[in-house]
Amino acid sequence: MSENGSHRGDHGASIELENLTKRYSGNPQPAVDNVSMEIKAGEVVIFVGPSGCGKSTTLKMINRLIEPSGGRIRINGEDVTDIDPVKLRRKVGYAIQSAGLFPHMTVAQNIALVPKMIGWPKARISARTEELLDLVGLDPGEFHGRYPRQLSGGQQQRVGVARALAADPPVLLMDEPFGAVDPITRDHLQDELIRLQHELHKTIVFVTHDFDEAIKLGDRIAVLRERSHIAQFDTPEAILTNPADDFVSGFVGAGAALKRLNLTRVRDVEITDYPTATVDDPLQEIFNRLRASGTNEVLLLDKRGRPYKWLRRGDMMRAKGSLARAGTLVHDTVTRDATLRDALEAVLTDNAGRVAVTGRRGEYTGVVDMETLMNSVHELLEADRLEALEAQHELEVARTGRTHAEQEGEGGGRKA
């Protein structure tokens, strides 16, 4: 990374909310009531809860887009409740649903907004813009001068994240940022955020109403009731295996064991290598590779090394010298940061029961197949079963005050 980049040491900051309250005139009940919470530096914390529970209001009080009626906010120990809110907002990145880009500004101008406001020199702004576009997986040369209307929803969200990160703030607030895009794009944007966080170590506070998204992204999840009362604030594992009450259980929903697929990443399981060829390879060479591999298909890559088509032996026979109409286009891929649930969904919608895994620029890195995924599901279910048995045993010990070993020992004594 360049010296303007994100490794200058401006990593995450701790956030402390103390009795944070918001009252609106004319409403007897506070919208947010007395919320206290500590968020560690570099942590991803997700606010999840039903519509209207106050999660977005709580988020917006952190950068004082909404002024608190009472309580304190400390960022890295500094009380920001009384400092100039405009200065505070420049230190805190903010990304919202539908990106919120200014339509009359180019991508580069949108990203440069905050650095320009705080007086960065032009050369530094330009270098930072290029770096950020690259960081969020958009080619700087291609996207620099485009306007938001010329981008897809997913590309707009990437630019929105780049803009929020522009001045390298230690804190990033995200208000349902991926809520307006289609499910496949949302999965890829979530993976991108996970990858970015591996590099940047920001403190991220993220609002969603989607519990699966919360499990996938959060180091810790705050399940909020009405008025932002905290029902449970814990790791995804703890909430899945030990929900605090019926309200939290309702959020977890059915199939907690399967939801644990959201906690395991594709990079944690075995990725198979597959025979590949590129669109420029001669047909005979591709056929020879297929025959030598022992598999019944080969993955055709485009000029940039990205998955393009699956070619079977029969397709090769019918190709008659041209690959233009042969094979099946690759509709879905997953990244190494995707969850096993994402991979399972992709595999289940694919007739051949496998999905290509890609790197950060969409390049092919391997394949995950149904067998690998089913083995992982069985392991998770087995782990859950053993955990339940262990918990049952502990309850028994607590009730009778004796371990199995002691009971067996007593039985042995009697026999003697």
Side-chain angles (χ1 to χ4, degrees), residues 23-296:
R23 286 191 168 81
Y24 290 104
S25 57
N27 196 333
Q29 293 275 27
V32 172
D33 183 25
N34 228 18
V35 174
S36 295
M37 171 185 286
E38 281 184 37
I39 296 167
K40 300 185 198 95
E43 188 175 31
V44 180
V45 165
I46 313 288
F47 292 174
V48 66
S51 293
C53 73
K55 53 191 184 293
S56 283
T57 306
T58 305
L59 184 86
K60 287 175 184 167
M61 283 195 280
I62 296 174
N63 67 352
R64 288 173 59 205
L65 273 171
I66 292 177
E67 283 294 338
S69 310
R72 317 300 300 169
I73 303 153
R74 290 184 189 83
I75 295 181
N76 252 2
E78 181 193 2
D79 191 332
V80 298
T81 322
D82 302 319
I83 72 163
D84 175 20
V86 177
K87 276 186 186 159
L88 169 65
R89 276 172 224 141
R90 288 173 188 169
K91 290 181 184 175
V92 175
Y94 183 56
I96 57 173
Q97 191 176 99
S98 303
L101 303 175
F102 292 106
H104 60 288
M105 290 182 177
T106 64
V107 163
Q109 287 167 336
N110 265 288
I111 294 171
L113 269 175
V114 175
K116 204 171 171 184
M117 278 181 202
I118 57 181
W120 283 22
K122 273 187 179 173
R124 187 181 177 195
I125 292 176
S126 176
R128 179 67 175 153
T129 304
E130 303 272 303
E131 181 193 21
L132 278 166
L133 281 169
D134 185 54
L135 200 64
V136 297
L138 296 173
D139 182 333
E142 195 181 328
F143 287 94
H144 188 276
R146 287 196 191 178
Y147 287 88
R149 68 177 179 276
Q150 297 169 308
L151 308 178
S152 70
Q155 288 166 344
Q156 286 184 27
Q157 281 308 143
R158 285 166 188 261
V159 175
V161 171
R163 183 177 65 180
L165 291 168
D168 211 8
V171 172
L172 182 58
L173 305 180
M174 307 186 85
D175 195 358
E176 301 222 24
F178 309 145
V181 294
D182 64 273
I184 289 176
T185 305
R186 187 183 309 143
D187 283 341
H188 284 289
L189 288 168
Q190 290 165 352
D191 297 347
E192 195 73 9
L193 185 65
I194 292 163
R195 185 189 61 73
L196 278 174
Q197 180 62 354
H198 279 254
E199 286 188 40
L200 303 179
H201 310 289
K202 301 291 179 191
T203 303
I204 300 176
V205 188
F206 188 111
V207 163
T208 183
H209 60 268
D210 178 348
F211 192 69
D212 289 331
E213 182 168 65
I215 295 167
K216 178 173 177 176
L217 296 177
D219 293 317
R220 284 193 296 162
I221 299 171
V223 183
L224 304 177
R225 304 176 189 273
E226 69 290 339
R227 300 194 294 284
S228 280
H229 286 167
I230 299 168
Q232 189 167 0
F233 185 26
D234 216 327
T235 62
E237 289 91 337
I239 290 173
L240 281 175
T241 53
N242 198 11
D245 57 21
D246 289 347
F247 176 80
V248 179
S249 293
F251 245 93
V252 172
L258 287 175
K259 283 189 193 295
R260 288 185 65 177
L261 286 171
N262 281 325
L263 299 173
T264 312
R265 309 274 169 217
V266 169
R267 66 178 125 79
D268 300 328
V269 300
E270 193 182 335
I271 294 174
T272 319
D273 201 18
Y274 238 66
T276 59
T278 71
V279 284
D280 297 329
D281 289 343
L283 208 58
Q284 189 57 47
E285 196 179 305
I286 298 174
F287 195 70
N288 293 344
R289 204 168 299 171
L290 184 59
R291 221 168 25 193
S293 72
T295 62
N296 67 345

Side-chain angles (χ1 to χ4, degrees), residues 13 85 100 127 137 186 288 321 379 403 410:
R186 187 183 309 143
N288 293 344
E379 280 168 26
T403 66
E410 285 165 18

Side-chain angles (χ1 to χ4, degrees), residues 265-387:
R265 309 274 169 217
V266 169
R267 66 178 125 79
D268 300 328
V269 300
E270 193 182 335
I271 294 174
T272 319
D273 201 18
Y274 238 66
T276 59
T278 71
V279 284
D280 297 329
D281 289 343
L283 208 58
Q284 189 57 47
E285 196 179 305
I286 298 174
F287 195 70
N288 293 344
R289 204 168 299 171
L290 184 59
R291 221 168 25 193
S293 72
T295 62
N296 67 345
E297 61 182 352
V298 66
L299 180 58
L300 197 62
L301 309 178
D302 68 12
K303 287 180 165 58
R304 292 193 192 172
R306 298 175 303 192
Y308 170 51
K309 276 182 176 181
W310 294 101
L311 286 176
R312 292 168 173 262
R313 286 178 186 237
D315 299 328
M316 304 287 293
M317 301 292 195
R318 288 189 292 273
K320 295 193 176 84
S322 165
L323 290 175
R325 291 185 181 169
T328 312
L329 286 172
V330 173
H331 287 300
D332 203 3
T333 58
V334 293
T335 69
R336 293 176 78 87
D337 285 316
T339 64
L340 290 198
R341 183 185 174 129
D342 298 335
L344 191 59
E345 279 182 16
V347 163
L348 288 172
T349 54
D350 184 292
N351 298 336
R354 40 76 187 120
V355 64
V357 182
T358 55
R360 63 165 294 203
R361 296 187 185 284
E363 75 281 4
Y364 166 80
T365 60
V367 166
V368 168
D369 58 23
M370 185 56 116
E371 191 184 353
T372 302
L373 291 172
M374 290 318 293
N375 287 343
S376 300
V377 171
H378 287 143
E379 280 168 26
L380 283 172
L381 292 171
E382 184 60 16
D384 275 7
R385 195 180 68 79
L386 291 173
E387 220 167 83

